[in-house]
Amino acid sequence: RASTLDIGASISEFGQAALVFNFESYFNQGRSRINGRIGHEIQPMRFYGVGPQSLQENETWYEPQYNRVALGYTHRVLAAEGNRGLAVGGRIEYWNTVMSQSSDSLAALGVEAPTGWGGGLAMGLGAVVIYDTRDNAYFPTRSVFVEARTMAYPRILGADFLYSRTYLDVRGYYP
């Protein structure tokens, strides 16, 4: 398979913006893959409060900025025809959220700042399993692609919040 580098930029009418670099590199006769993402995103959003008692008149805008870096490695352990089959590996993620608002804007509304309002750091490690039998990675016409990933963000890695996340991507291609 060919290695790739894609660069994307976007801006919306609400001031949302993103600049993202994704890469994927195959080596070891296509059996091994390193992939990753580097990005900066600005996502202005509305906040009304927490829970069903929140009032629409308490609306306030906030603007989190996300700095993300992810790096993954997988190695094919069961081969199918061509560079296809079952691959397993790991992933590391860094996600730093910076908030431009202080909790003073919420205090004026009588609303308590929720967890994470001041931003924070998430550092995670995880496992990846990929089953890929696509006939072509860029324009598939038959077969399947499945990626399952589970990530843990423990405080021991410097994370401000303790949590885990599971991701599943299932695609089927039929002529």
Side-chain angles (χ1 to χ4, degrees), residues 1 26 76 78-87 130-147 171-174:
R1 296 200 172 169
Y26 291 89
R76 192 174 66 239
L78 292 176
E81 180 186 335
N83 288 328
R84 299 177 210 138
L86 179 70
I130 297 174
Y131 180 68
D132 186 0
T133 62
R134 294 174 293 175
D135 58 340
N136 184 304
Y138 305 108
F139 189 73
T141 59
R142 68 185 85 210
S143 64
V144 297
F145 175 86
V146 179
E147 179 178 354
R171 304 176 213 174
Y173 302 96
Y174 303 97

Side-chain angles (χ1 to χ4, degrees), residues 3 26 29 31 37 60 82 86-87 95 97 108 124 129 131 136 138 153 160 170:
S3 297
Y26 291 89
Q29 287 92 32
R31 291 189 303 266
R37 172 187 177 103
T60 187
L86 179 70
W95 187 344
T97 303
V129 176
Y131 180 68
N136 184 304
Y138 305 108
Y153 300 85
D160 292 327
V170 179

Side-chain angles (χ1 to χ4, degrees), residues 26-167:
Y26 291 89
F27 56 98
N28 194 11
Q29 287 92 32
R31 291 189 303 266
S32 299
R33 175 183 82 141
I34 291 178
N35 69 316
R37 172 187 177 103
I38 300 169
H40 177 74
E41 299 174 32
I42 301 169
Q43 298 290 328
M45 296 184 219
R46 294 181 179 117
F47 177 76
Y48 299 97
V50 177
Q53 70 281 4
S54 301
L55 303 173
Q56 187 170 357
E57 52 266 18
N58 284 347
E59 174 189 298
T60 187
W61 281 88
Y62 67 104
E63 189 173 284
Q65 296 187 28
Y66 306 109
N67 299 300
R68 301 178 186 187
V69 178
L71 181 64
Y73 170 81
T74 55
H75 184 78
R76 192 174 66 239
V77 294
L78 292 176
E81 180 186 335
N83 288 328
R84 299 177 210 138
L86 179 70
V88 297
R91 183 173 174 93
I92 185 168
E93 293 183 356
Y94 166 89
W95 187 344
N96 186 22
T97 303
V98 178
M99 296 291 285
S100 59
Q101 288 75 13
S102 70
S103 57
D104 297 342
S105 61
L106 296 178
L109 297 170
V111 176
E112 187 175 322
T115 300
W117 184 262
L121 175 67
M123 254 323 253
L125 291 173
V128 180
V129 176
I130 297 174
Y131 180 68
D132 186 0
T133 62
R134 294 174 293 175
D135 58 340
N136 184 304
Y138 305 108
F139 189 73
T141 59
R142 68 185 85 210
S143 64
V144 297
F145 175 86
V146 179
E147 179 178 354
R149 182 167 66 220
T150 185
M151 299 290 300
Y153 300 85
R155 293 191 190 277
I156 194 166
L157 292 178
D160 292 327
F161 311 102
L162 175 65
Y163 69 101
S164 61
R165 186 167 52 102
T166 302
Y167 169 90

